Amino acid sequence: MELAYIPSPSRGVLYLGPIPLRGYAFCIIIGVFVAVWLGNKRWIDRGGRSGTVADIAVWAVPFGLVGGRLYHVITDYELYFSEGRDWVDAFKVWQGGLGIWGAVALGAVGAWIGCRRRGITLPAYADAVAPGIAFAQAIGRWGNWFNQELYGRLTDLPWALHITSSADGRMPGYYHPTFLYESLWCVGVGFLVIWAGRRFKLGHGRTFALYVAAYCAGRGWIEYMRVDDAHHILGLRLNVWTAMLVFLCAVVYLVVSSRLRPGQEEIVEPGAADEDGSAGGDVSGEPEKKTEPVDGKKASADDTKAGAKAGAKVDAKVDTKTGAETDAAEARDDAEPVGAATSADDAEPAGEAGAAKKA
């Protein structure tokens, strides 16, 4: 008997009346909310609008669920289409069985559709949601714990997972909790992607490529520990080959993209910066400072005095101008009669003298 181990839940579903509440489904839903919440924060930090990530997720999440289920059904088709199996079970997603490779691939198609509708580029969006996807995987892996699935080899380690179910070919015992290993690995990948993106200013899809490469590096050795049925190619499980191939593609993209388009995008969502500036008024975002008078009565008295002084100055100027104009007018009136009389007096003797000379 093991002294220390990780217990498995006695059942993975609870019933609220006739409504089943499945642990696997709750883990998936919580993971999606975490991914959208963190992606939205990162998108806003890059200069995008709030809500854009959620709008695009409306397309990406359903596509991702379909893609994940398709990958699982195709690679494990004997679970649903072999003799004695019911093909209807292929649609029972809540029983487990989502392949991350198909989920990311088809989810990217849905995200591409959403990005085109919003007029933004897919690589910029992928960079924003990359760490959130990693954290969502970390949460989603606990759904395997509820279903008692995807465990590793037998072990006597103190953190061994105690499997109690014997359904679907399970053997009760103590196994490596590979679901826990992958969950912890995904948490590390999420923090690595956040740090590297800030430290090296990763853009144009390189943040997402780093997430893919880092996840594949861990998925390879964790997949090698699992004991559930899987297809093998040259002695290796199919998912190990998939992890290696996707890892190489991600590394090649990182190298080529860094040479062709170094740095980050200056604008991730056209028009978002202009709307923020017009809405805020001041680009700095600081509210205008208003000086309020401490005492309203004192302020009114000061305004009255100032108005009185200004009025007195205006009246003085008007009086001065009016007085000057009046003096000038009187001077002209006094000057005109004197000049006229003098001219008349001078003209009369001159006329008399001329008349006398002619006579």
Side-chain angles (χ1 to χ4, degrees), residues 266-326:
E266 294 183 1
I267 299 175
V268 296
E269 188 169 4
D274 297 337
E275 290 182 3
D276 292 342
S278 61
D282 187 3
V283 177
S284 63
E286 297 181 358
E288 295 182 3
K289 296 181 179 179
K290 296 182 180 181
T291 305
E292 297 284 343
V294 178
D295 189 352
K297 294 182 179 180
K298 183 177 180 181
S300 300
D302 293 340
D303 293 342
T304 303
K305 290 180 180 179
K309 289 181 180 180
K313 290 181 180 180
V314 173
D315 293 342
K317 289 182 180 179
V318 173
D319 292 343
T320 303
K321 183 177 181 181
T322 304
E325 292 177 352
T326 303

Side-chain angles (χ1 to χ4, degrees), residues 28-74:
I28 298 297
I29 293 172
I30 294 172
V32 170
F33 273 103
V34 170
V36 173
W37 170 78
L38 181 58
N40 184 66
K41 288 179 64 68
R42 288 171 54 82
W43 186 253
I44 294 174
D45 291 341
R46 287 296 311 278
R49 297 185 183 92
S50 177
T52 296
V53 170
D55 291 343
I56 298 176
V58 172
W59 289 89
V61 172
F63 273 73
L65 290 174
V66 173
R69 189 61 176 176
L70 282 176
Y71 181 89
H72 168 72
V73 171
I74 291 173

